[in-house]
Structures are given as structure tokens and as C-alpha cells.
């Protein structure tokens, strides 16, 4: 998820035109263009702060485990279309204040881990940091969505330090294993939020693929534990 560069004015106008009349758009742009750009810039800073925290944890835990618990970190800033769509769908005002107050997922960080246990270890270590405040936690791994979706979602508040102020920003962090991410990415392309008609076969197959992917996660994690124990045993034998 590459971070979009500074939102340009023409693009923002085009998005707004799909929701408002031309006069209303002109009014909106005059009032909010600069504050919108500022707010998005703060969210980009929050993404950087959170991404750095995970890079630090990955570095430290890789020494302890002798492997990296994080495979990749993806980040994204919610697009203007998605922001407008979500505000409209939820009946919130189309203002910059409303974006910050009502939407929790403008800044998104997705942490792709090797194994399910890594997700819990990392999320707990992250939440123990004294500048992170947990606002919401949804465990779709312990309780998968009916379509089979699995992931751990956190909404947190993190400070960003600007030249003249400290600001608290909300960030959505999603933790997935490689196989949870693989399933979610393909399901997103095939079905998610597409308003497709009921397609029992597609739904059943997607659900089954999610189940198989969960089983593969469990088998891979078991292999990882066996390999780690074997390495520990070898090290102990060598040191005695
Ligand atoms: P994007 O493009 O990833 O940002 P919401 O859907 O946000 O209005 P809620 O309850 O706040 O409602 O969201 P929830 O359940 O915490 O999930 C939000 C995000 O999780 C989604 O963001 C997706 O990234 C992901 N997600 C949730 N459910 C599914 C699913 O069934 N399939 C897939 N592929 N992803 C899912 P966005 O904003 O929809 O999209």
C-alpha cells in the first residue's frame, strides 16, 4: 500500500464533485483545502511513527527468535473517495473536523507476520508501549467473520511531535499472517464490497479457502516450533 503523495487540489475537487454541487465544492475547497492537506500530513507522520515501532520490534525480536517475526509492513492513507464515501454512508458531516472525529482508519498500517503466535506477541509488545493508547480491538482470528476473514484489528492513538506541538492521531493497525493476507487480498478483488448478487458457490468456496488457509497456518506454526526445539536441543548439547 504505497503512501499517496500530497493530495492535489484538482483531484480533491473531482472527488468532491461526485458528492456535492459545483458551488458547494468551490465553497468546500476554499474552506477546507489547506486544513485537509495538513490533516493528511499528520496522518502520514502517525503512519511513520507506528511503522518505526514495528521495525524496532522486528529488529529486537529477530535476535531473540533467530528469525524475523514480521514478513512485511504495508501502509496506506485512506483515499479522498473512500473518506467521502464513508462519511456519506455513515451520515457524518463532510468537514475536516468530522474526518478526524468520526473516522478511525484514515491512517492504516498492516503488519504481515510469519505465524499466528507472532501476531499476539507483537500486538501485546506494541500495546505495552507507554505512548500507545488502545481505543478498539477486534480479534477476527479468534472470531473470524462469517465469510472467513481473519485478522487482528487495533485502533490506537499515537502522539506525533511537530515543531511546536504534540498531536494525538488515530491509526488502524491490522495484523495478518501471510496466508490471512493472501486470502483477504484475493477475496477483496473477487467479492468484498462489490454488492454482488448472492452467490452461494463463491461464498462457500471462499469460506472453505479461508478454513484451509487457517489449517496451513496451524501446520506451519507447528513445524516452526519443532524446528525451534530441535535447534535449542542442539545448542544445549554443544554447550554442555
Ligand atoms: P481498505 O481499502 O482496506 O481500507 P468499515 O468496513 O470500515 O466501515 P468497520 O467495522 O469499522 O467497518 O471495519 P472492520 O471490520 O474493522 O474492517 C475494516 C477493514 O478491515 C477494511 O477496511 C478491510 O481492510 C478489512 N476487512 C474487514 N472485513 C473484511 C473482509 O471481509 N474481507 C476483506 N478482504 N477485508 C476485510 P476498508 O475500509 O473496507 O478497506
Amino acid at each position: 500500500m504505497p503512501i499517496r503523495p500530497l493530495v492535489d487540489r484538482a483531484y480533491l475537487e473531482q472527488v468532491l464533485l461526485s458528492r456535492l454541487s459545483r458551488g458547494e465544492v468551490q465553497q468546500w475547497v476554499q474552506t477546507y483545502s489547506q486544513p485537509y492537506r495538513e490533516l493528511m500530513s499528520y496522518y502520514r507522520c502517525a503512519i511513520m511513527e507506528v511503522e518505526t515501532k514495528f521495525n524496532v520490534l522486528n529488529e529486537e525480536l529477530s535476535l531473540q527468535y533467530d528469525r524475523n517475526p514480521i514478513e512485511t509492513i504495508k501502509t496506506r492513507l485512506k483515499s479522498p473517495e473512500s473518506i467521502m464515501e464513508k462519511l456519506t454512508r455513515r451520515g457524518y458531516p463532510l468537514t475536516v473536523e468530522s474526518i478526524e472525529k468520526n473516522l478511525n482508519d484514515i491512517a492504516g498500517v498492516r503488519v504481515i507476520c510469519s505465524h499466528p503466535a507472532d501476531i499476539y506477541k507483537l500486538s501485546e509488545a506494541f500495546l505495552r508501549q507507554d505512548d500507545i493508547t488502545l481505543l478498539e480491538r477486534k480479534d477476527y482470528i479468534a472470531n473470524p467473520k462469517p465469510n472467513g476473514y481473519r485478522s487482528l484489528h487495533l485502533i490506537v492513538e499515537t502522539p506525533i511531535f511537530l515543531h511546536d506541538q504534540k498531536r494525538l492521531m488515530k491509526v488502524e493497525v491490522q495484523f495478518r499472517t501471510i496466508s490471512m493476507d493472501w486470502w483477504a487480498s484475493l477475496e477483496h478483488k473477487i467479492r468484498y464490497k462489490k454488492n454482488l448478487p448472492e452467490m452461494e458457490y463463491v461464498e462457500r468456496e471462499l469460506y472453505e479457502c479461508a478454513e484451509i488457509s487457517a489449517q496451513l497456518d496451524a501446520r506451519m506454526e507447528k513445524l516452526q516450533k519443532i524446528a525451534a526445539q530441535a535447534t535449542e536441543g542442539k545448542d544445549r548439547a554443544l554447550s554442555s
Side-chain angles (χ1 to χ4, degrees):
M1 283 185 286
I3 296 176
R4 190 188 280 280
L6 270 185
V7 177
D8 74 87
R9 204 181 154 113
Y11 179 65
L12 188 55
E13 274 189 44
Q14 188 195 324
V15 169
L16 287 167
L17 267 174
S18 62
R19 305 273 155 190
L20 307 169
S21 73
R22 185 160 285 280
E24 284 171 324
V25 171
Q26 272 168 6
Q27 177 70 41
W28 201 97
V29 169
Q30 264 176 12
T31 317
Y32 292 118
S33 180
Q34 188 55 23
Y36 181 87
R37 287 160 61 114
E38 257 170 35
L39 183 64
M40 292 303 125
S41 160
Y42 298 153
Y43 279 118
R44 272 194 294 277
C45 296
I47 286 174
M48 286 189 263
E49 293 282 355
V50 170
E51 189 176 11
T52 301
K53 284 176 180 290
F54 284 109
N55 281 326
V56 170
L57 286 172
N58 197 33
E59 176 72 27
E60 189 230 338
L61 290 172
S62 67
L63 287 177
Q64 193 180 319
Y65 286 175
D66 208 18
R67 66 180 176 84
N68 288 324
I70 297 179
E71 293 286 330
T72 38
I73 301 175
K74 303 178 196 174
T75 63
R76 74 106 179 82
L77 194 63
K78 205 170 186 68
S79 68
E81 300 101 310
S82 286
I83 293 175
M84 292 303 152
E85 186 279 323
K86 197 160 183 176
L87 286 177
T88 312
R89 176 160 48 88
R90 299 212 166 162
Y92 293 126
L94 295 182
T95 64
V96 170
E97 297 76 37
S98 164
I99 295 172
E100 191 169 12
K101 180 165 171 250
N102 297 312
L103 302 187
N104 294 336
D105 62 343
I106 305 297
V109 175
R110 190 170 287 156
V111 184
I112 314 297
C113 299
S114 310
H115 301 289
D118 297 331
I119 290 179
Y120 292 107
K121 181 147 194 144
L122 276 163
S123 61
E124 282 155 24
F126 173 65
L127 290 174
R128 271 197 299 273
Q129 300 189 3
D130 60 13
D131 54 353
I132 292 291
T133 306
L134 177 65
L135 301 180
E136 191 182 300
R137 182 177 186 276
K138 288 187 195 164
D139 189 346
Y140 295 124
I141 301 172
N143 305 295
K145 282 195 166 183
N147 63 356
Y149 176 78
R150 286 151 62 242
S151 178
L152 174 68
H153 293 188
L154 306 178
I155 305 291
V156 298
E157 209 163 47
T158 186
I160 57 165
F161 298 91
L162 305 168
H163 79 283
D164 58 351
Q165 59 167 322
K166 172 176 138 183
R167 229 173 172 288
L168 292 175
M169 303 302 298
K170 285 187 251 179
V171 178
E172 181 185 65
V173 187
Q174 297 182 347
F175 297 86
R176 296 175 179 170
T177 59
I178 306 164
S179 82
M180 292 172 198
D181 190 49
W182 161 85
W183 183 93
S185 304
L186 295 186
E187 190 263 358
H188 199 281
K189 285 185 193 154
I190 297 169
R191 178 163 175 84
Y192 186 55
K193 290 194 172 171
K194 289 235 165 65
N195 286 328
L196 292 179
E198 282 272 301
M199 286 195 292
E200 212 186 293
Y201 172 74
V202 174
E203 277 164 29
R204 209 179 42 242
E205 280 290 293
L206 281 170
Y207 181 78
E208 207 154 295
C209 288
E211 288 292 295
I212 294 169
S213 113
Q215 286 160 15
L216 289 176
D217 264 341
R219 285 170 74 173
M220 284 296 192
E221 189 158 79
K222 192 170 159 197
L223 293 179
Q224 167 58 43
K225 281 186 191 148
I226 293 172
Q229 277 164 4
T231 314
E232 265 173 40
K234 209 172 92 192
D235 289 349
R236 238 181 282 121
L238 283 174
S239 63
S240 61

